[in-house]
Amino acid sequence: MADVTFVDVRRLQAEADTADVALAMDEDAFRAFYDRTAGALWGYLSRISGDRQVADDLLQESYYRLLKATVPFESEAHRRNYLYRIATNLVRDAKRGTRPLFDVGVEMAEIAAPDSHVDVEGRADVRRAFGRLKPRERALLWLAYAQGSSHSEIADVLGLKTGSIKLLLFRARRKLAARLQP
Amino acid sequence: MTSGTRGQGPEPTDAEIEAIVAEAIAAEAALARREATPPSSAIVWWRAQMRARQEAARAADRPITIVHGLAIACAAGLALSLIGSAIAGVRGSSGWLIDIYHSLSLKAPLASLAAVDLTSRWVTLPMTAMLISALVVTIAAYFIYADE
């Protein structure tokens, strides 16, 4: 039997610690993935839920569930779509809870805060119109036009059939356009 | 938005509607990117590690809790059977005492003992209470020393 050095013991200890928590990614890979996706996911969560606080909470939860997932991801896109699917389900569950989603009054005040030269009224109208859509319609439109996702990716995230996305997007677009008209 | 029904000119085409919607959402997405202040990746990673460890510890404790529950259930069952056999034993001993009473002709004191109805609540309730107290003390002692 070979001699065991202190370095070996430390390495084994570190491996045991890592094995205890059993997360799906190592730290470097996770942090790089997080830095690439967190801002966009926060935007998705905040606009689909209509609540910044909910977005903050669900962002952490989404990444935690991704880390605990045992899915063998084929690509970065696959992992990202899975993350958005988790986030979508969390928003759906939060909506069933007690917290009211889409408080337009609060959101309008928040729009004016960052920079005053922007078209505050116009953005409030967009957000109000967006907030009156169904959550699934908001998710469809956001994934298609803010994320640039393909129909198959949207279907994957929302748990729908790819063939139905075109029609659902068409209806959601018309609905939003009708609400945007003065 | 049907053509002519509202008297507001021609209905926008699908392409025009798509352009309007895409522009509105793109502007909203740009705003969301500016508003986004997610916590740093290091903090999120650290919190995930802590939470995963806590969950692992809880999962490890769960079988111990189940074993504790089973032990308590077994002890309760054992106590009930002891109570039953104790009552039966006391009944048996009363018959033996009655035999002694007959053989020794000790009339007055044993007559009163034999007259005691052992199924009466005045006898069974204190006995049951004593046995349950003994059981509770035993379980409490087990948990105290198990922690140590």
Side-chain angles (χ1 to χ4, degrees), chain B residues 99-121:
Chain B
D99 289 344
I100 293 174
Y101 155 72
H102 284 303
S103 63
L104 297 177
S105 299
L106 298 172
K107 291 190 177 176
L110 286 176
S112 59
L113 180 65
V116 173
D117 179 10
L118 293 166
T119 58
S120 143
R121 61 181 176 174

Side-chain angles (χ1 to χ4, degrees), chain A residues 34 47 60-61 127 174, chain B residues 11 28 39 47 51 55:
Chain A
Y34 179 90
R47 294 314 189 266
Q60 298 257 341
E61 185 65 25
R127 200 170 293 195
R174 292 188 80 86
Chain B
E11 183 184 3
E28 194 61 21
R47 283 180 184 159
R51 191 171 154 190
E55 284 181 3

Side-chain angles (χ1 to χ4, degrees), chain B:
Chain B
M1 283 172 50
T2 50
S3 179
T5 54
R6 294 185 185 175
Q8 293 175 349
E11 183 184 3
T13 64
D14 288 342
E16 286 169 339
I17 287 175
E18 185 163 13
I20 292 166
V21 167
E23 188 186 354
I25 293 176
E28 194 61 21
L31 181 66
R33 274 195 296 277
R34 285 208 300 275
E35 287 175 3
T37 51
S40 80
S41 55
I43 289 174
V44 174
W45 173 259
W46 180 78
R47 283 180 184 159
Q49 287 273 324
M50 290 298 109
R51 191 171 154 190
R53 282 175 203 278
Q54 284 170 357
E55 284 181 3
R58 270 200 298 274
D61 284 347
R62 209 168 293 136
I64 296 170
T65 310
I66 292 168
V67 169
H68 278 171
L70 282 172
I72 290 169
C74 288
L78 185 66
L80 287 173
S81 68
L82 280 174
I83 290 167
S85 61
I87 290 170
V90 171
R91 275 182 188 164
S93 65
S94 73
W96 174 74
L97 283 172
I98 289 165
D99 289 344
I100 293 174
Y101 155 72
H102 284 303
S103 63
L104 297 177
S105 299
L106 298 172
K107 291 190 177 176
L110 286 176
S112 59
L113 180 65
V116 173
D117 179 10
L118 293 166
T119 58
S120 143
R121 61 181 176 174
W122 301 110
V123 177
T124 53
L125 280 178
M127 281 172 59
T128 309
M130 280 195 305
L131 283 166
I132 289 173
S133 303
L135 178 68
V136 169
V137 167
T138 309
I139 291 171
Y142 164 74
F143 279 112
I144 289 164
Y145 290 109
D147 284 346
E148 286 175 6

